[in-house]
Amino acid sequence: MEYLTIRQVSRNFGVSTRTLRYYEELGLLQSTRQEAYAYRVYTEESIQRLRQILILRNLHIPLRQIAAILANPSSKEALDLLQSNLSHIHDEINALQIVKRALAALIA
């Protein structure tokens, strides 16, 4: 099994080391420390979990909800959270369309 250091993960995924440590602090991500090695290292399983976290973050899902989704991805709660986020995004789109029409009217 290959391990990646925190710096390697940070560079590969474009995430700061501080963010990675914060995800660990929240319990979203785990690192290990090998004997006689002072730095955090990540397993392939941790890397896969980071990929999931980053995808969900790109979908504008808050970290608290990501924790709930990853804790039990097949649960009704996870589906409800995703549905709620979809509804919220729909509301934002509608609000932005109103702003767009207002700005177009002001320009005209």
Side-chain angles (χ1 to χ4, degrees):
M1 178 182 295
E2 183 180 334
Y3 294 98
L4 295 176
T5 65
I6 191 168
R7 181 174 301 266
Q8 290 170 318
V9 172
S10 173
R11 285 183 183 158
N12 290 348
F13 290 91
V15 183
S16 71
T17 57
R18 183 176 180 177
T19 297
L20 293 171
R21 287 190 296 271
Y22 183 62
Y23 289 170
E24 284 187 49
E25 188 179 309
L26 294 177
L28 293 173
L29 190 63
Q30 285 187 320
S31 68
T32 58
R33 293 184 191 220
Q34 295 175 322
E35 283 186 39
Y37 196 66
Y39 298 103
R40 289 175 165 87
V41 292
Y42 296 90
T43 64
E44 183 57 40
E45 182 179 321
S46 293
I47 298 301
Q48 184 59 33
R49 183 150 173 123
L50 177 61
R51 284 186 182 106
Q52 293 171 333
I53 293 167
L54 295 176
I55 288 168
L56 292 170
R57 287 297 296 146
N58 284 333
L59 295 173
H60 299 274
I61 297 175
L63 291 174
R64 185 172 5 117
Q65 290 181 355
I66 290 173
I69 291 168
L70 293 178
N72 195 356
S74 63
S75 75
K76 181 177 177 346
E77 180 184 359
L79 292 174
D80 288 345
L81 288 171
L82 293 172
Q83 183 61 45
S84 173
N85 282 319
L86 180 62
S87 177
H88 179 70
I89 288 171
H90 181 70
D91 292 344
E92 285 183 34
I93 290 169
N94 288 337
L96 287 172
Q97 287 174 336
I98 291 169
V99 170
K100 179 183 173 185
R101 285 192 294 271
L103 286 172
L106 286 172
I107 292 170

